[in-house]
């Protein structure tokens, strides 16, 4: 059965200035292509709590071809989204064009300006292969990614039994209104942040068919499964809620964590979890952390080099990390 699509405001474009590191890591050796990072996350509609698959794509200005247009520079993109189910049957596709505008030439070459696009897709629970293609219409170059996605089955019996929770997203770049309320944010799709990030939020949404008392409980655990942050708070008596949880960055001094989340309403509860990672901007001090940092370079460095320095001494490892 062909899936329906719901576009919440079509596609939202949000330009970040601090998420460039995750794109830099993947952009090496593919200069000139519209390289992007992608993620599919589970989300909810405000009106009815209908579950949706939200497809995110992020691309930095440096990967795009801009043409001068009077006093600005324009890049035009074509975004294609394809879903196939576990039987390899085509169930959905969407093609969208978008324009990115840079006010000056330096901005066109910026790795710090990240453009975030998303679209929401209404699909049945199950396993999917999501194929995403970005075409730079100015250069006619393409880049494609494939993402495996599992749409959860959260159907509950009875209209008064629905208690739904979205996936958890983390972010550090956002905009607020005059009262300080967050009105837009750009998620970090790989859940990895710089070790000197100052502000960190977790985002999720909830929906419940009734407005009985409910509570949010969360705990952030380190790699040894020890809690380093935990809290709870009562939910407002509204069916749909967006939650912005500010995490104490100074309590997160290591590089690997997991956030566990529970929504409890009466006798019902629902759970979600998400990994959270930090990468080093400077050379780690301890031997253990340096070993872990070398391992994390596998995402951006030659694997032969990683294998070589796994067995190297501390000074050689430190020198390799500093050079990189």
């Amino acid at each position: 059965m062909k899936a329906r699509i719901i576009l919440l405001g079509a596609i939202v474009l949000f330009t970040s200035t601090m998420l460039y590191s995750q794109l830099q890591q993947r952009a090496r050796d593919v200069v000139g292509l519209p390289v992007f990072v992608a993620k599919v996350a589970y989300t909810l509609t405000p009106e009815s709590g209908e579950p949706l698959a939200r497809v995110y794509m992020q691309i930095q200005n440096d990967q795009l071809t801009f043409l001068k247009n009077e006093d600005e520079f324009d890049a035009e993109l074509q975004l294609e989204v394809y879903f196939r189910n576990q039987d390899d049957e085509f169930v959905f596709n969407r093609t969208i064009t978008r324009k990115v505008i840079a006010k000056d030439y330096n901005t066109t070459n910026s790795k710090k300006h990240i453009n975030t696009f998303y679209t929401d897709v209404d699909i049945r629970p199950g396993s999917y292969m999501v194929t995403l293609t970005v075409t730079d219409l100015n250069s006619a170059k393409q880049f494609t990614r494939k993402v495996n996605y599992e749409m959860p089955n959260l159907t509950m019996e009875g209209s008064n039994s629905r208690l739904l929770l979205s996936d958890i997203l983390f972010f550090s770049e956002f905009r607020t209104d005059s009262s300080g309320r967050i009105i837009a944010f750009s998620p970090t799709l790989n859940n990895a942040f710089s070790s000197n990030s100052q502000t960190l939020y977790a985002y999720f949404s909830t929906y419940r068919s009734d407005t009985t008392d409910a509570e949010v409980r969360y705990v952030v655990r380190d790699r040894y499964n020890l809690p380093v942050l935990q809290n709870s708070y009562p939910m407002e008596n509204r069916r749909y809620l967006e939650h912005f949880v500010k995490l104490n960055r100074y309590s997160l001094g290591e590089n690997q964590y997991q956030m566990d989340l529970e929504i409890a309403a009466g006798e019902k509860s629902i759970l979600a979890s998400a990994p959270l990672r930090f990468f080093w901007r400077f050379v780690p001090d301890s031997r253990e952390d340096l070993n872990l940092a070398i391992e994390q370079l596998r995402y951006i460095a030659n694997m032969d080099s990683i294998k070589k320095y796994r067995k190297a001494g501390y000074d050689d490892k430190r020198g390799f990390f500093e050079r990189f």
Side-chain angles (χ1 to χ4, degrees):
M1 178 179 180
K2 189 172 182 180
R4 295 181 295 110
I5 179 168
I6 296 178
L7 290 176
L8 298 183
I11 287 188
V12 173
L13 170 64
F14 184 92
T15 301
S16 167
T17 59
M18 293 183 64
L19 297 178
Y20 67 93
S21 57
Q22 60 176 312
L23 288 164
Q24 279 184 297
Q25 294 172 359
R26 294 162 174 81
R28 301 174 189 272
D29 303 325
V30 283
V31 176
L33 297 179
V35 178
F36 63 93
V37 294
K39 183 175 185 174
V40 184
Y42 172 80
T43 191
L44 308 169
T45 59
E47 297 80 13
S48 62
E50 182 178 7
L52 302 171
R54 176 165 290 180
V55 181
Y56 284 98
M57 288 177 279
Q58 291 181 334
I59 185 168
Q60 61 189 23
N61 276 5
D62 187 60
Q63 299 302 123
L64 302 176
T65 301
F66 286 84
L67 299 179
K68 187 170 178 57
N69 181 13
E70 296 183 353
D71 295 330
E72 62 186 28
F73 298 83
D74 297 342
E76 293 192 61
L77 304 176
Q78 178 174 285
L79 314 174
E80 298 174 80
V81 180
Y82 297 88
F83 275 71
R84 289 186 177 273
N85 62 21
Q86 57 190 358
D87 297 322
D88 201 31
E89 296 172 335
F90 169 79
V91 295
F92 167 79
N93 82 289
R94 180 77 175 187
T95 300
I96 305 161
T97 57
R98 283 294 177 267
K99 178 181 289 188
V100 178
I101 299 174
K103 296 299 183 182
D104 54 66
Y105 177 76
N106 289 336
T107 304
T108 68
N109 293 316
S110 174
K111 292 182 171 66
K112 297 183 180 182
H113 283 76
I114 307 299
N115 307 290
T116 299
F117 308 92
Y118 76 75
T119 185
D120 291 336
V121 182
D122 183 5
I123 55 174
R124 290 182 172 182
S127 299
Y128 295 89
M129 172 61 73
V130 185
T131 302
L132 306 170
T133 298
V134 171
T135 302
D136 186 326
L137 297 179
N138 288 341
S139 67
K141 294 183 178 181
Q142 290 185 336
F143 189 79
T144 298
R145 286 196 181 278
K146 292 186 177 182
V147 179
N148 290 309
Y149 179 65
E150 183 75 26
M151 187 67 176
N153 187 354
L154 300 178
T155 302
M156 298 183 180
E157 296 182 0
S159 60
N160 295 324
S161 300
R162 300 184 72 212
L163 177 63
L164 301 174
L165 170 63
S166 74
D167 281 334
I168 303 170
L169 297 173
F170 297 103
F171 67 92
S172 60
E173 284 294 303
F174 56 94
R175 295 201 305 264
T176 61
D177 60 16
S178 58
S179 67
R181 183 175 62 92
I182 295 175
I183 56 175
F185 69 92
S186 189
T188 299
L189 300 186
N190 64 358
N191 294 2
F193 294 82
S194 165
S195 59
N196 63 350
S197 298
Q198 298 298 311
T199 305
L200 179 63
Y201 281 86
Y203 167 84
F204 52 93
S205 59
T206 55
Y207 184 89
R208 46 195 171 132
S209 296
D210 58 66
T211 54
T212 56
D213 292 342
E215 186 177 57
V216 175
R217 304 165 186 164
Y218 68 87
V219 57
V220 178
R221 303 179 186 275
D222 64 17
R223 54 180 163 169
Y224 305 108
N225 203 35
L226 299 176
V228 295
L229 288 174
Q230 54 186 335
N231 198 7
S232 64
Y233 59 89
M235 290 173 57
E236 297 179 39
N237 290 326
R238 290 190 285 130
R239 294 180 185 273
Y240 175 81
L241 288 170
E242 290 186 296
H243 302 256
F244 298 93
V245 176
K246 187 174 184 178
L247 302 177
N248 185 347
R249 180 64 187 87
Y250 299 102
S251 297
L252 305 174
E254 298 185 12
N255 75 303
Q256 293 186 35
Y257 296 92
Q258 176 170 299
M259 182 175 184
D260 296 320
L261 178 64
E262 178 184 12
I263 309 299
E267 297 180 354
K268 303 179 182 67
S269 66
I270 191 167
L271 306 174
S273 63
L276 176 61
R277 295 178 293 271
F278 296 91
F279 58 87
W280 285 275
R281 290 292 300 275
F282 307 100
V283 178
D285 292 327
S286 74
R287 185 179 301 273
E288 181 183 20
D289 283 345
L290 181 57
N291 288 338
L292 191 55
I294 294 292
E295 288 300 318
Q296 289 186 332
L297 289 180
R298 68 184 183 273
Y299 299 110
I300 54 178
N302 185 285
M303 198 60 201
D304 289 338
S305 297
I306 301 299
K307 291 178 180 178
K308 174 183 176 181
Y309 284 98
R310 279 175 178 165
K311 299 179 180 180
Y314 177 80
D315 290 340
D316 288 338
K317 287 182 178 179
R318 184 182 179 90
F320 171 65
F321 193 87
E322 287 177 337
R323 290 192 300 275
F324 198 87

